[in-house]
């Protein structure tokens, strides 16, 4: 492929995924009686029910043809697309280009609605998204090509000795801050600082606490590779980081 990638203008291969996302988001949304009368996502659901609600989206992403979506060029020595398929990475084709493009993770926007966003991150070899959280969100990710080294952590209550009359424990059904604030910062690849099991939330200057997520979906050890799908929930795997493998990656 000769032309560059500046956005995902051809979303036809994603149509089934977007329709499923609409359906899942609708099922996870309920009317509230709050003063603004806005919809809110149903994070009140028990964990098992939330997983069941998201499962159709996971299955839809598993059926996605990455080579068609990204118009990938086959290359037997390139990045993995599936067990028997490899491709030429596209990180050098993303536009506009930058002087240090080999170190920059790029974002291709697909869709942005009031209840969910869809996009593709393109990683040069060895590039990374540092440890960060997704407050009160469900995030479903499909590796389109390549592989990642992943760190994944669950959100937990603050240790008892840290609890006081002030709100230091954040493992609650209410947002730590509006998801829209984090979404904007995440698209700028904002880094959230981490120190051992404590993660500093730079938005409201509180401490978030986490523990290793023992069995993140689609991850083998600490490796997440194409064509696997992974998913995080409000309190399961909600902190994570990605480091692309030697051939780069997209997902």
């Amino acid at each position: 492929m000769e032309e560059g990638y500046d956005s995902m203008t051809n979303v036809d291969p994603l149509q089934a995924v977007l329709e499923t996302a609409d359906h899942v988001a609708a099922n996870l949304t309920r009317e509230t009686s709050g003063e603004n009368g806005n919809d809110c996502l149903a994070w009140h659901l028990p964990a098992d029910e939330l997983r069941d609600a998201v499962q159709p989206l996971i299955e839809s992403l598993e059926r996605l043809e990455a080579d068609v979506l990204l118009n990938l060029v086959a290359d037997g020595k390139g990045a993995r697309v599936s067990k028997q398929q490899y491709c030429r990475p596209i990180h050098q084709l993303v536009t506009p280009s930058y002087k240090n493009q080999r170190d920059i993770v790029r974002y291709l926007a697909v869709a942005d609605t009031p209840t969910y966003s869809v996009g593709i991150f393109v990683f040069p070899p060895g590039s990374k998204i540092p440890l960060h959280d997704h407050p009160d969100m469900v995030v479903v990710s499909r590796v389109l090509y390549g592989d990642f080294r992943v760190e994944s952590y669950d959100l937990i209550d603050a240790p008892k000795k840290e609890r006081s009359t002030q709100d230091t424990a954040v493992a609650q059904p209410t947002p730590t801050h509006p998801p829209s604030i984090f979404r904007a910062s995440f698209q700028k690849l904002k880094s959230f600082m981490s120190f051992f099991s404590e993660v500093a939330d730079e938005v409201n200057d509180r401490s978030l606490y986490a523990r290793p997520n023992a069995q993140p979906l689609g991850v083998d050890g600490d490796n997440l590779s194409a064509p696997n799908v992974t998913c995080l929930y409000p309190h399961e795997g909600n902190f994570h980081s990605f480091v692309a493998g030697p051939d780069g990656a997209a997902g």
Side-chain angles (χ1 to χ4, degrees), residues 5 8 10 12-14 64-72 81 85:
Y5 296 76
M8 290 305 301
N10 177 23
D12 288 346
L14 274 171
L64 182 64
E65 296 183 68
D67 56 336
V68 176
L69 174 65
L70 296 177
N71 197 17
L72 298 174
V81 179
Q85 186 179 9

Side-chain angles (χ1 to χ4, degrees), residues 37-154:
N38 295 329
D39 289 349
C40 71
L41 294 180
W43 307 132
H44 63 287
L45 285 176
D48 289 344
E49 290 186 30
L50 187 55
R51 289 190 188 92
D52 289 343
V54 175
Q55 186 61 31
L57 183 55
I58 292 174
E59 294 174 357
S60 181
L61 282 168
E62 288 174 341
R63 294 190 293 269
L64 182 64
E65 296 183 68
D67 56 336
V68 176
L69 174 65
L70 296 177
N71 197 17
L72 298 174
V73 175
D75 183 344
K77 296 182 179 180
R80 170 179 164 139
V81 179
S82 64
K83 289 183 178 180
Q84 298 179 336
Q85 186 179 9
Y86 295 82
C87 74
R88 187 179 305 162
I90 66 169
H91 57 274
Q92 293 182 328
L93 300 176
V94 179
T95 58
S97 60
Y98 296 100
K99 182 177 181 180
N100 296 321
Q101 183 156 321
R102 64 181 181 180
D103 300 319
I104 300 175
V105 178
R106 308 298 293 275
Y107 181 78
L108 306 177
V110 175
D112 195 5
T113 79
T115 52
Y116 69 86
S117 294
V118 179
I120 298 172
F121 287 93
V122 181
F123 292 70
S127 60
K128 63 182 180 179
I129 292 181
L131 190 67
H132 61 277
D133 69 337
H134 294 263
D136 302 286
M137 296 183 193
V138 171
V139 179
V140 187
S141 305
R142 158 73 189 271
V143 186
L144 300 172
Y145 71 75
D147 64 278
F148 298 98
R149 187 173 73 254
V150 177
E151 289 186 340
S152 178
Y153 299 89
D154 298 337

Side-chain angles (χ1 to χ4, degrees), residues 20-30 41-42 44-45 53 56:
T20 304
D22 285 336
H23 179 72
V24 169
N27 286 342
L28 289 175
T29 305
R30 62 182 176 88
L41 294 180
H44 63 287
L45 285 176

